[in-house]
Structures are given as C-alpha cells and as structure tokens.
C-alpha cells in the first residue's frame, strides 16, 4: 500500500471518529462530543483559546491538553501529515507540493516564522473579543463542522447555510492559500513548539547504506521533504522538531537507508 494511501486512510479515519462521537454521544466539550467521560478530545490550540476566552481552566480541559502534549512529545507533529484534513483535501483537489512552498531554515527561526505571529494574533484576538476568533477560519475546524453539518442533514434533514458557507471558505483556503501549512497555520506553530520535546520516531540515516554518505551525489530525501529538512546537513536545515513523520524521505531513498526507529542510535 502506498504511503499517501495510508495517510489518506488515517485522515479519513480521524474524521470517522467524529462520526462515532456523534453516533454514541461520548465525551463533552467539543462539537463532535468525542472523548472519554468528561475528558474531551480537543485541539490543543482550541483548548488554549477556550481557556483564554472563558478566563478559566477547568480540569477536564487541562487533562485533555496534557494528553495532547504527551502525544506530541511522543509522536511530534505527526498529526500534520497523518490526521490533518488539509493535506487530504489537497490530494482530493490534485494540489501538489511545490518546491517554492517549502519553508527555509531562516523562515523557521523564531520571530521569522510567520506561523508564530499568527499564533500570537490568535491568542490576542481571543483575549480581546472573548471567543476563539481563529476557529471561524480554521481549516481543521471547518472540515469537522462541514462533516457535522452533513451528518445532521442526513440524520435530521436539517439543511443550514453552514452546508454552503463552510465548504466555500474551506475550498478557498485550500486552493488559494497554498502556503497555509507552512506560512499561516497557528496549530502547526503550536505543535512545532511542543514537538521540541520529541525524541522518538525521528528519521535516521544508516551511513553504511546511504549513497550521500558514500560520496555519491544524492539528495533525494531533502528534495522530497515537505518541511525542508535536510538529514545530511542538520546545521543548515530546518529543525527535526518540524518533522511530521510523513515518511516521504524513507520512501524516496534509493538505498533504503532511512528509518524511523523508536529511539535513534547514539553515535560513539
């Protein structure tokens, strides 16, 4: 099975969990009502916005946020490649990643990272207006909201303007803002900050098999990485904290020298 097919199945499966939440009514606190008891499965950015907007931190919300933080520490930004509906919709619309869309190391350097500015604006607007403003245009939230609107249409014959408005905004963002993930997404910025604690499932190169390490001119892994990571030149590359575990580098390596071990071997 192709890697892109696996990622598609994973993203569709995550949306399927929304349907499970709607069908069995488990958990509280999210539009999909999916979770365990009072602990809701919640977007970490949404949790931060909810806490700022309400100016309170309730235990179930805090527990959900801690669980997400632990998952990110273990799996890094894997959600961006395996769970986010944006890459899924791009594949549906046939929008391919362009080399010009990739971030450069300079664009991931703290204040130069435009995503961090959007993240800051998201927090400030939430505090100023008293509600999560970004959620109105968040592609992840719009995808879930569209799914819920379709569900209610099929289950209750409830037709609302959201069936038109949400998909139109979503398509506009996917088609027109091609650099959304790399330039604008505050959720990606937040996950990137949290993923700095990640040390597991990082791409590792077996020097004895790698063509580049043997002196050959090969940069296939760097060429295909959507995050602009160069495993052979880490000092001049985007940080490994930005790795989404998409596996493109592993599949592209002609020598099959790249793997994603639980823990990378320590060089002596």
């Amino acid at each position: 099975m192709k890697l892109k097919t696996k990622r598609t199945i994973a993203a569709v499966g995550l949306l399927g969990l929304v349907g499970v939440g709607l069908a069995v009514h488990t958990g509280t606190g999210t539009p999909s009502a999916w979770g365990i008891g009072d602990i809701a499965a919640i977007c970490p950015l949404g949790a931060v916005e909810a806490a700022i907007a309400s100016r309170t931190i309730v235990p179930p919300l805090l527990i959900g946020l801690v669980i997400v933080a632990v998952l990110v520490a273990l799996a890094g930004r894997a959600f961006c490649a395996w769970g986010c509906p944006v890459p899924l919709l791009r594949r549906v619309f046939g929008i391919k990643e362009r080399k010009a869309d990739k971030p450069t190391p300079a664009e991931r350097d703290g204040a130069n990272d435009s995503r961090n500015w959007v993240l800051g604006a998201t927090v400030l607007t939430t505090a100023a207006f008293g509600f999560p403003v970004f959620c109105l245009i968040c592609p992840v939230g719009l995808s879930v909201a569209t799914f819920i609107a379709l569900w209610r249409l099929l289950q209750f014959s409830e037709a609302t303007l959201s069936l038109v408005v949400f998909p139109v905004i979503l398509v506009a963002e996917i088609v027109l803002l091609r650099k959304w993930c790399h330039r604008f997404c505050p959720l990606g910025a937040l996950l990137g900050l949290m993923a700095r604690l990640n040390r597991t499932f990082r791409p590792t190169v077996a020097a004895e098999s790698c063509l580049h390490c043997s002196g050959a001119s090969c940069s296939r892994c760097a060429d295909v990485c959507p995050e602009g990571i160069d495993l052979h030149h880490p000092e001049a590359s985007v940080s490994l904290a930005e790795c989404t575990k998409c596996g493109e580098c592993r599949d592209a390596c002609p020598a099959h020298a790249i793997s994603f071990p639980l823990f990378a071997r320590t060089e002596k």
Side-chain angles (χ1 to χ4, degrees):
M1 184 183 294
K2 292 183 179 180
L3 196 60
K4 289 183 179 179
T5 302
K6 292 180 180 179
R7 293 203 300 268
T8 298
I9 293 174
V12 172
L14 197 62
L15 281 176
L17 288 178
V18 176
V20 172
L22 291 169
V24 300
H25 305 290
T26 62
T28 57
T30 63
S32 61
W34 178 72
I36 301 174
D38 290 333
I39 302 174
I42 190 169
C43 162
L45 181 57
V48 172
E49 290 180 281
I52 293 173
S54 63
R55 292 174 172 76
T56 58
I57 299 178
V58 295
L61 184 149
L62 183 60
I63 293 172
L65 182 58
V66 169
I67 291 174
V68 171
V70 171
L71 290 175
V72 175
L74 292 174
R77 290 182 57 217
F79 171 79
C80 294
W82 294 87
C84 181
V86 174
L88 172 64
L89 291 172
R90 281 181 173 163
R91 288 194 289 274
V92 169
F93 286 102
I95 300 175
K96 297 182 179 180
E97 186 86 20
R98 300 177 302 187
K99 188 174 183 179
D101 295 336
K102 294 183 181 182
T104 64
E107 292 171 332
R108 284 291 178 266
D109 184 18
N112 291 330
D113 192 339
S114 57
R115 300 174 308 164
N116 290 336
W117 289 98
V118 178
L119 176 59
T122 298
V123 171
L124 290 175
T125 54
T126 299
F129 294 104
F131 72 95
V133 178
F134 174 74
C135 290
L136 298 175
I137 59 170
C138 173
V140 179
L142 287 172
S143 298
V144 173
T146 300
F147 182 92
I148 294 172
L150 288 172
W151 179 282
R152 296 187 68 84
L153 174 65
L154 295 174
Q155 187 174 20
F156 304 112
S157 297
E158 181 182 295
T160 64
L161 280 177
S162 59
L163 280 169
V164 177
V165 176
F166 291 164
V168 167
I169 298 174
L170 187 58
V171 170
E173 290 176 344
I174 298 299
V175 176
L176 300 179
L177 299 178
R178 294 179 61 102
K179 297 183 180 182
W180 173 270
C181 296
H182 299 316
R183 301 292 188 271
F184 306 110
C185 182
L187 176 57
L190 181 60
L191 292 178
L193 294 174
M194 298 168 71
R196 293 186 179 186
L197 298 174
N198 172 248
R199 293 295 182 273
T200 57
F201 302 110
R202 287 189 162 196
T204 303
V205 179
E208 64 275 10
S209 304
C210 176
L211 297 179
H212 178 88
C213 295
S214 301
S217 177
C218 180
S219 60
R220 292 285 297 279
C221 55
D223 292 340
V224 300
C225 178
E227 300 302 321
I229 297 173
D230 187 343
L231 298 174
H232 299 299
H233 302 285
E235 72 287 346
S237 167
V238 171
S239 169
L240 270 178
E242 294 295 329
C243 177
T244 62
K245 325 295 184 187
C246 68
E248 291 291 341
C249 57
R250 180 179 58 193
D251 273 19
C253 179
H256 306 289
I258 299 176
S259 60
F260 286 78
L262 179 59
F263 291 101
R265 292 177 296 177
T266 303
E267 298 292 339
K268 296 182 180 180

